[in-house]
Amino acid sequence: MDKFLINGPCKIKGKVSISGSKNASLPILAATLLFDKPVTIKNLPRVRDIDTMLNLLKSLGSKIILSKDRKTAKIINKKNMKTFASYSLVKTMRGSILVLGPLISKFHKSKTSLPGGCLIGARPVNYHLSALKQLGMEYKIKDGYILAKSSGRLKGKTIKFPKISVGATEQLLMATVLSSGKTVLKNCAIEPEIKDLTQFLNKAGANIKWSGRTCTILGVNSLNQTSHTVMADRIEAGTFCVAATLAKGNLQIKNLDPKIINTEIELLKKVGAKIQTLDDKIFIKGPDKIKPIKNIKTKEFPGIPTDLQAQLMVLMCKSIGKSSITESIFENRFMHVAELQRLGAKINIQNNKAFIEGNNKFIGAELMSSDLRASVALVLAAMVANGKSIVGRVYHLERGYEDIENKLKKIGVKIKRLK
Ligand code: UD1
């Protein structure tokens, strides 16, 4: 398994171009199952999770023609598609569950593997299943699979999600565009990735309207041939903004609408970063001294994303003073803490809150990645530690960060891959 050797502390300077969003691409690719006509998706990031989703679509019968740079996929579905999403494909990526809604909506049956556990928490799919049931999907769980069917088209209804869920909102949007009648979804997630999915589907003839956290869908009979460019990855952009703030860096981050990370930008300004935005660019300079922030709390969009929690924890370890971070989305998302402690971090966890004593001197060490965002946080920590660090299991990073090694090298991070 590959590892990264990072020699810190590193000075970072230069330009970073943000790739297409993994979390927007996954539901958009799943939604292509709803189409009879060809669809072209552009600006896909070249990351492992996208390969997994493309393989899943292929296994269901889609023909996929990739451009040379693998960022554009033309997807053509067969008349008789399969409806079986196997455990071997679903277990490596929870996002695979997003094919359930499109399969049941379009083909009225599906055998989709349950995604299983995950290091950051139990991550059940009960909201997905109970909402689909209300639209007319019958299902049972057998041998780890969701065996689902519906008698004809799903029927529109008013559904209120018990809790805000990104995946459940996407699942239901996809399941209802071809349903009969009107669906009103209440208490929806409103992440920009969901708005990107909406734009894609509406461009193809769907009738989806938003008002705050309520989404109204009028079912249509079919979707038209279309092409869509996936939005930029706001978590990747946020990660580079944290990197610049952490390492007294001077970065120009381009290819992203800065408005979608406004909350993150405001937080980093409070910490001391100097930030300017222009069109699709962010200019960011890290401060000499990082200010601590009490009570950072992860929240659904437009709050601080849980996918940036680990990176912000590294930042707070280097702030001058005491701070705290509350993780309010996932129950077990502090796997990176023990690794950061091995570098010298002083963090005390009480339930879902981390109390951080700042001004830590990090000394390089061998570290182990546990999940996608935790692993990038370890890379950031190694970047500001004194001496050599080795970050193991970099395949976690490759699930969601395109070309991370070269992007970091280009801005001055002394990083080398060990095979
Ligand atoms: C998506 C993102 C992930 C991000 C998360 C929160 C993708 C592919 N993944 O994950 O990167 O960290 O949003 O922003 O886009 N829950 C239930 N039952 C359900 C569904 C969710 O209890 O049926 C709980 C989850 O365990 C979690 C919370 O609701 O505690 C929010 O999860 P959700 O928003 O659904 O996250 P994902 O869509 O899995």
Side-chain angles (χ1 to χ4, degrees):
M1 262 181 265
D2 290 7
K3 297 175 178 181
F4 280 151
L5 170 69
I6 296 162
N7 207 342
C10 308
K11 283 210 168 107
I12 64 173
K13 197 174 181 220
K15 292 180 187 171
V16 185
S17 184
I18 298 304
S19 301
S21 159
K22 166 183 86 73
N23 284 358
S25 301
L26 291 175
I28 287 172
L29 287 173
T32 63
L33 288 167
L34 297 166
F35 289 71
D36 299 314
K37 309 218 173 82
V39 200
T40 303
I41 311 296
K42 299 177 186 168
N43 201 30
L44 292 167
R46 283 167 308 182
V47 297
R48 188 117 48 83
D49 278 6
I50 299 303
D51 292 340
T52 306
M53 182 55 91
L54 292 174
N55 285 337
L56 180 54
L57 295 180
K58 271 189 218 163
S59 78
L60 295 167
S62 306
K63 182 177 173 194
I64 293 167
I65 304 164
L66 279 176
S67 61
K68 235 186 183 163
D69 66 3
R70 302 179 61 80
K71 292 188 179 206
T72 300
K74 183 169 182 185
I75 301 167
I76 307 156
N77 291 327
K78 278 195 203 145
K79 244 207 155 78
N80 292 316
M81 296 283 283
K82 297 195 185 101
T83 54
F84 172 59
S86 77
Y87 177 60
S88 61
L89 281 164
V90 175
K91 73 172 180 202
T92 56
M93 184 185 73
R94 281 187 52 84
S96 310
I97 189 71
L98 293 173
V99 298
L100 173 64
L103 287 178
I104 200 75
S105 163
K106 183 91 173 89
F107 308 106
H108 314 310
K109 62 176 183 174
S110 136
K111 179 177 176 184
T112 302
S113 172
L114 274 167
C118 167
L119 272 174
I120 63 174
R123 302 186 78 176
V125 288
N126 52 328
Y127 306 151
H128 303 227
L129 295 178
S130 72
L132 288 168
K133 193 174 170 188
Q134 291 179 62
L135 298 177
M137 180 185 90
E138 292 169 40
Y139 74 94
K140 59 181 177 189
I141 310 285
K142 197 166 172 255
D143 306 328
Y145 280 86
I146 306 159
L147 306 178
K149 61 177 182 185
S150 69
S151 52
R153 289 168 83 180
L154 297 175
K155 289 182 188 64
K157 237 193 140 197
T158 296
I159 295 171
K160 185 172 179 194
F161 292 112
K163 193 178 153 189
I164 295 169
S165 157
V166 173
T169 304
E170 292 165 346
Q171 187 82 274
L172 268 287
L173 258 184
M174 295 186 286
T176 50
V177 285
L178 297 181
S179 64
S180 65
K182 174 169 143 182
T183 300
V184 181
L185 302 173
K186 295 187 172 171
N187 201 27
C188 290
I190 50 167
E191 267 60 4
E193 292 76 16
I194 296 172
K195 297 301 165 79
D196 205 27
L197 174 66
T198 303
Q199 265 185 27
F200 163 59
L201 291 169
N202 276 348
K203 233 189 285 175
N207 189 338
I208 306 169
K209 290 201 173 78
W210 282 92
S211 164
R213 290 199 179 274
T214 299
C215 180
T216 304
I217 303 115
L218 283 180
V220 295
N221 289 333
S222 64
L223 296 171
N224 308 320
Q225 177 161 354
T226 195
S227 147
H228 183 74
T229 302
V230 174
M231 63 176 274
D233 195 313
R234 65 192 170 102
I235 305 298
E236 188 196 15
T239 301
F240 278 103
C241 285
V242 172
T245 310
L246 186 63
K248 291 183 208 159
N250 188 350
L251 289 186
Q252 188 193 121
I253 295 167
K254 48 181 194 170
N255 258 351
L256 162 117
D257 175 3
K259 284 199 265 324
I260 62 171
I261 60 163
N262 200 33
T263 309
E264 293 86 323
I265 288 178
E266 289 309 311
L267 181 88
L268 294 175
K269 279 184 181 168
K270 276 193 206 149
V271 164
K274 297 260 176 300
I275 306 180
Q276 282 177 337
T277 59
L278 181 73
D279 305 328
D280 68 342
K281 293 185 190 70
I282 301 168
F283 301 88
I284 177 161
K285 267 191 191 167
D288 284 334
K289 285 187 178 157
I290 300 163
K291 291 184 203 143
I293 305 244
K294 288 223 165 72
N295 275 327
I296 295 177
K297 196 171 179 185
T298 61
K299 286 282 282 161
E300 298 88 3
F301 188 85
I304 296 288
T306 171
D307 287 351
L308 215 55
Q309 182 252 106
Q311 299 89 315
L312 290 171
M313 190 160 316
V314 177
L315 186 63
M316 286 300 100
C317 287
K318 286 289 180 184
S319 70
I320 312 291
K322 290 184 179 173
S323 59
S324 66
I325 303 184
T326 303
E327 171 53 58
S328 54
I329 308 291
F330 292 110
E331 76 241 36
N332 193 23
R333 206 171 198 179
F334 285 136
M335 304 296 289
H336 44 283
V337 169
E339 298 301 305
L340 295 177
Q341 284 166 337
R342 302 189 64 248
L343 290 173
K346 294 191 187 108
I347 305 167
N348 177 12
I349 303 287
Q350 282 172 27
N351 301 317
N352 65 339
K353 192 163 180 176
F355 295 89
I356 303 142
E357 226 173 274
N359 206 9
N360 299 156
K361 295 226 165 4
F362 283 177
I363 309 289
E366 192 155 345
L367 306 165
M368 194 63 84
S369 309
S370 54
D371 70 67
L372 172 59
R373 308 303 171 185
S375 54
V376 84
L378 298 185
V379 169
L380 297 188
M383 207 177 77
V384 289
N386 280 316
K388 286 181 179 165
S389 295
I390 290 178
V391 179
R393 298 190 181 157
V394 298
Y395 61 84
H396 284 297
L397 272 166
E398 289 157 355
R399 279 191 46 206
Y401 285 90
E402 181 179 279
D403 205 18
I404 181 82
E405 192 184 338
N406 286 322
K407 285 191 185 186
L408 289 169
K409 259 187 203 155
K410 268 192 202 150
I411 58 171
V413 178
K414 287 167 253 160
I415 181 168
K416 194 174 154 189
R417 184 179 286 262
L418 306 176
K419 292 269 180 196

